[in-house]
Amino acid sequence: MKKTKNLALALVSIMLMSSLAACGGNNNGGNKSAEGNTGNNASSTAAPAAEGDKAEKVELSFWTLGNVNYEELAAAYTKEHPNVTIKIQNTGDQTAHHNNLTTALSAGSGAPDIFQLEIGFMERFLGAQDKFYNLNDLGAKDIQANYLDWKWKQASSIDGSFQLGLPTDIGPTVVYYRTDLAEAAGLPADPEGFGAAIDTWDKFATVAKAFKDKTGKYFSDLTDLTYNALRDQSADEIYFSKADGSFIGDTNPQVKKAYDFTVKGIQEGWISNVMLWSPEWGQGMNDGSFAVVMGPAWMAGNIKSNAPDSSGKWKIAQLPEGAGNWGGSFITLPKEGKHSKEAYDFIQWLVNKDNQLESFKTKGLMPSIPALYEDPAFVDFKDDFFGGQQTAVEFGKAANRVKPVYYGPLHDQTDTFFKNALKNVLEKKADPAKEWDDAVKQSKTLAERG
């Protein structure tokens, strides 16, 4: 796995790349869990300072990303730790969020005490370890066992001696669907029945076309999420080889399957022509312009925010033929911060078991603490927005279907080439074969340079 050689190169790389996700956080979107020093049963109520404690007044700056509940959790923490003030700055744009940190680290000033790092940018910052505190030195090894092993390792050096961040949420992908639209088309409205009707991609396409013919509405919300759903079911690798970093996207059958399937949806007219994160996309969720959104667990928060009038009309089912994982983030401590102990005390509390459960309940962020997956408070949680469904059960099923895949440092830029190709097919009626060839050519040129 190639590492960024220096921070200047990292800045150039980040500025070139397009965003993987807006992580519901991602960061939202995309792993959130960690236990505090009190262990798996740590309370979400922070332990207050001892009576009469005259602790030093500490102010911590915290840059967050996406649709998260960290401001509310920080307020609860500081109420019990009156010597600590936490100032949160939430950035709406994922690329700008990471670019701002890279600029600050390069300049040697302006970085926050605490930074939420999305997994899509991890490779760049692991190459600048000298700019961050090693969380192992602050006690992270003591809580490592509480997390999914694969998630923890995403923020570790190869030998495990350096830990860049504590895990937050993960993003197993599911099918969010409108029960009212399913019923109007004569489809089963219950999750098991709906899932069975679309449990292969061939059946999904057949149902989608019939839905469009009967209702006049789109079945799938947009090209990007349709493509992602199949792309992320790749086994082991997507665009790049783990062994040598070479481009393999043109020979990976799952990438071509994802591309051809999305083209089919465009040509048959059952994929909407709105763009990801656009106002029209959010409005379509609320208005019922399309029946299905294929996205990660954290997407639940975006649907709730975008479609308040549709509460009770959504449910969750499984994707055909497997699941992928999109997004997830980590909490890191840039070394510019002068209060590493206080910052670490807060972040290990922020991502403990109870707080990850709260983030799931309020924002749909899927925990990265596997002990929660069998906890009645998690499994039995019923979400009124999703018709009282036990949504955690579906997310847990999806998480168990995920196959870990290697992305590589050029994934985002490469993915943009294929997304742009599909956009041209959608908007310009461009030839799909030529657009594929152009995307492959651009990807190979990038790989040779990178």
Side-chain angles (χ1 to χ4, degrees):
M1 183 182 295
K2 297 180 181 178
K3 299 290 183 190
T4 307
K5 299 300 182 182
N6 54 58
L7 204 55
L9 179 57
L11 177 58
V12 173
S13 298
I14 294 172
M15 286 182 170
L16 284 173
M17 80 180 176
S18 60
S19 166
L20 249 183
C23 265
N26 142 225
N27 88 207
N28 269 210
N31 302 1
K32 276 183 185 151
S33 15
E35 292 309 315
N37 291 334
T38 52
N40 271 343
N41 295 319
S43 170
S44 59
T45 301
E51 186 177 353
D53 186 6
K54 296 182 180 179
E56 175 191 1
K57 296 290 185 181
V58 171
E59 180 178 295
L60 302 173
S61 55
F62 185 8
W63 291 1
T64 66
L65 176 68
N67 193 12
V68 294
N69 65 332
Y70 294 162
E71 190 163 349
E72 293 84 354
L73 290 175
Y77 185 86
T78 55
K79 184 177 181 180
E80 300 296 339
H81 294 76
N83 64 304
V84 177
T85 301
I86 301 172
K87 293 193 173 181
I88 293 180
Q89 173 184 315
N90 186 276
T91 307
D93 181 83
Q94 187 176 137
T95 301
H97 176 75
H98 294 86
N99 282 353
N100 290 343
L101 178 64
T102 305
T103 300
L105 295 178
S106 297
S109 63
D113 296 279
I114 306 168
F115 182 82
Q116 181 183 349
L117 174 61
E118 209 278 337
I119 183 59
F121 296 77
M122 179 61 70
E123 187 76 17
R124 278 73 178 177
F125 291 102
L126 272 175
Q129 294 176 14
D130 61 319
K131 301 293 184 179
F132 293 86
Y133 285 104
N134 182 356
L135 301 188
N136 286 337
D137 295 339
L138 297 170
K141 281 288 186 184
D142 295 336
I143 61 174
Q144 179 177 352
N146 298 326
Y147 296 86
L148 291 165
D149 184 60
W150 63 265
K151 178 64 175 176
W152 184 272
K153 289 179 178 177
Q154 286 180 329
S156 302
S157 59
I158 293 175
D159 64 1
S161 63
F162 188 93
Q163 188 65 25
L164 183 63
L166 295 185
T168 58
D169 59 297
I170 57 174
T173 49
V174 295
V175 178
Y176 299 93
Y177 69 97
R178 290 276 298 245
T179 56
D180 55 337
L181 299 184
E183 289 174 344
L187 292 167
D190 63 290
E192 185 175 349
F194 188 85
I198 60 165
D199 62 7
T200 69
W201 287 113
D202 286 343
K203 288 168 70 173
F204 184 102
T206 300
V207 167
K209 187 175 186 305
F211 177 90
K212 178 65 186 298
D213 291 344
K214 185 166 185 175
T215 67
K217 293 178 179 288
Y218 299 107
F219 189 69
S220 185
D221 59 341
L222 42 76
T223 57
D224 282 10
L225 297 188
T226 304
Y227 176 77
N228 286 357
L230 284 86
R231 179 204 66 194
D232 290 342
Q233 291 178 354
S234 293
D236 212 28
E237 301 163 323
I238 300 180
Y239 296 123
F240 297 97
S241 166
K242 286 194 302 183
D244 60 11
S246 61
F247 174 72
I248 59 167
D250 56 336
T251 59
N252 182 350
Q254 192 66 26
V255 172
K256 190 62 163 65
K257 179 179 180 179
Y259 183 86
D260 290 345
F261 185 86
T262 308
V263 168
K264 178 181 177 70
I266 292 171
Q267 294 179 335
E268 292 184 349
W270 47 262
I271 295 180
S272 173
N273 59 357
V274 298
M275 293 292 109
L276 185 62
W277 312 125
S278 68
E280 294 78 12
W281 178 59
Q283 192 62 45
M285 292 179 186
N286 200 44
D287 294 345
S289 301
F290 41 77
V292 161
V293 175
M294 293 181 280
W298 51 259
M299 189 66 76
N302 293 83
I303 295 174
K304 290 178 180 181
S305 297
N306 285 321
D309 298 335
S310 64
S311 179
K313 297 178 180 179
W314 292 86
K315 279 196 174 359
I316 299 170
Q318 295 300 299
L319 280 169
E321 301 180 20
N325 184 84
W326 178 18
S329 60
F330 294 81
I331 308 298
T332 69
L333 303 182
K335 196 172 281 188
E336 197 175 302
K338 305 304 181 186
H339 304 284
S340 59
K341 180 186 181 301
E342 290 83 358
Y344 180 78
D345 287 346
F346 168 64
I347 68 171
Q348 59 85 26
W349 174 86
L350 180 72
V351 294
N352 70 22
K353 183 179 176 182
D354 286 352
N355 287 332
Q356 290 218 10
L357 178 61
E358 184 65 20
S359 294
F360 168 75
K361 287 181 176 180
T362 59
K363 298 297 181 180
L365 302 181
M366 181 67 178
S368 54
I369 299 174
L372 267 175
Y373 302 167
E374 298 179 0
D375 189 314
F378 178 71
V379 175
D380 295 340
F381 171 69
K382 294 181 180 180
D383 194 323
D384 290 339
F385 186 91
F386 291 98
Q389 185 180 7
Q390 292 172 263
T391 52
V393 173
E394 296 299 331
F395 294 141
K397 288 179 185 176
N400 287 328
R401 303 172 81 202
V402 173
K403 297 176 181 176
V405 294
Y406 172 71
Y407 289 94
L410 299 178
H411 174 90
D412 287 357
Q413 298 132 353
T414 301
D415 196 56
T416 298
F417 298 144
F418 289 90
K419 296 286 179 58
N420 286 341
L422 291 168
K423 183 179 179 182
N424 289 338
V425 174
L426 176 70
E427 295 182 349
K428 301 178 181 179
K429 310 301 180 187
D431 175 43
K434 182 181 183 302
E435 292 298 322
W436 167 268
D437 290 342
D438 287 348
V440 167
K441 183 178 179 180
Q442 290 173 306
S443 300
K444 288 182 175 179
T445 299
L446 176 68
E448 290 168 359
R449 288 202 317 258

